[in-house]
Amino acid sequence: MTRVTGHAALTFDGGPHPDDTPELLALLDRLGGVRATFFLLGLAAERHPAIAGAIAGAGHEIAVLGFRLPDVRGELAQAVTSINAATGIVPYWCRPHRDAREMGLRTVRPTCPGRDDLPDATADSVYRSVLRRLDDGAQIMLHHGPAARSALPALLTTCRARGLRVGPLTGTAAAGTIRG
């Protein structure tokens, strides 16, 4: 496959969350209609199907994180079913999971974790964490909360300054840049 340069995948793990996810979706729109890949939890999609549907309806790519955290063996199929029921989409991408291959899911590991899920995370700490490994073909992993949202404008500005188009995983995979 010919490698096409200049793309970084933006991903969000967890959720949907009734407070954080709508704020994140609004921010992505305000930042220029940025699209991302959302790795959802099946249990959260069952609890908040309208929010999961809003993610898909806004044109974001839907992926599966698992059913709940911590992960329980055998629950990945339940997660996929729940996410499909809430969004109308059968996920293709999955974070590393022992059942993924037999289900035909493609697993990917983030290359630029924002570490925004740590209790002391700030916009600056998230920004610095992502920048450590930000390059062509990067996969930025954030979550739905305030630290990620606060860091996102600066991260997108830096990506653009480096000539990186930011978007969902599928655009990166099509370009042959997935590292996972």
Side-chain angles (χ1 to χ4, degrees):
M1 177 182 291
T2 303
R3 181 176 168 89
V4 177
T5 60
H7 189 13
L10 179 61
T11 70
F12 294 94
D13 281 21
H17 185 276
D19 299 321
D20 291 331
T21 305
E23 288 185 35
L24 176 58
L25 293 174
L27 176 61
L28 290 169
D29 277 344
R30 283 194 309 273
L31 293 172
V34 174
R35 297 297 172 250
T37 300
F38 282 77
F39 284 84
L40 302 179
L41 289 167
L43 183 60
E46 283 183 4
R47 289 180 177 164
H48 310 291
I51 299 169
I55 296 168
H60 298 284
E61 185 171 48
I62 303 297
V64 60
L65 180 59
F67 186 73
R68 69 179 111 206
L69 296 177
D71 179 51
V72 176
R73 183 161 178 81
E75 287 188 340
L76 188 61
Q78 184 179 3
V80 169
T81 299
S82 297
I83 291 168
N84 176 250
T87 66
I89 296 169
V90 176
Y92 172 73
W93 300 106
C94 181
R95 289 294 184 218
H97 192 289
R98 61 189 156 269
D99 298 332
R101 182 169 292 175
E102 64 193 49
M103 293 183 59
L105 296 168
R106 180 155 181 206
T107 62
V108 290
R109 293 183 190 278
T111 61
C112 297
R115 303 179 56 82
D116 56 303
D117 55 340
L118 297 176
D120 60 345
T122 64
D124 186 57
S125 70
V126 173
Y127 179 81
R128 284 184 285 112
S129 181
V130 170
L131 284 188
R132 285 186 192 111
R133 297 192 59 204
L134 181 64
D135 63 3
D136 184 36
Q139 186 194 128
I140 301 165
M141 181 188 75
L142 301 172
H143 297 80
H144 298 223
R149 291 193 311 269
S150 296
L152 201 51
L155 285 172
L156 292 175
T157 297
T158 298
C159 286
R160 291 171 181 146
R162 291 183 179 187
L164 298 173
R165 292 178 321 279
V166 177
L169 281 167
T170 295
T172 307
T177 60
I178 281 292
R179 290 176 280 162

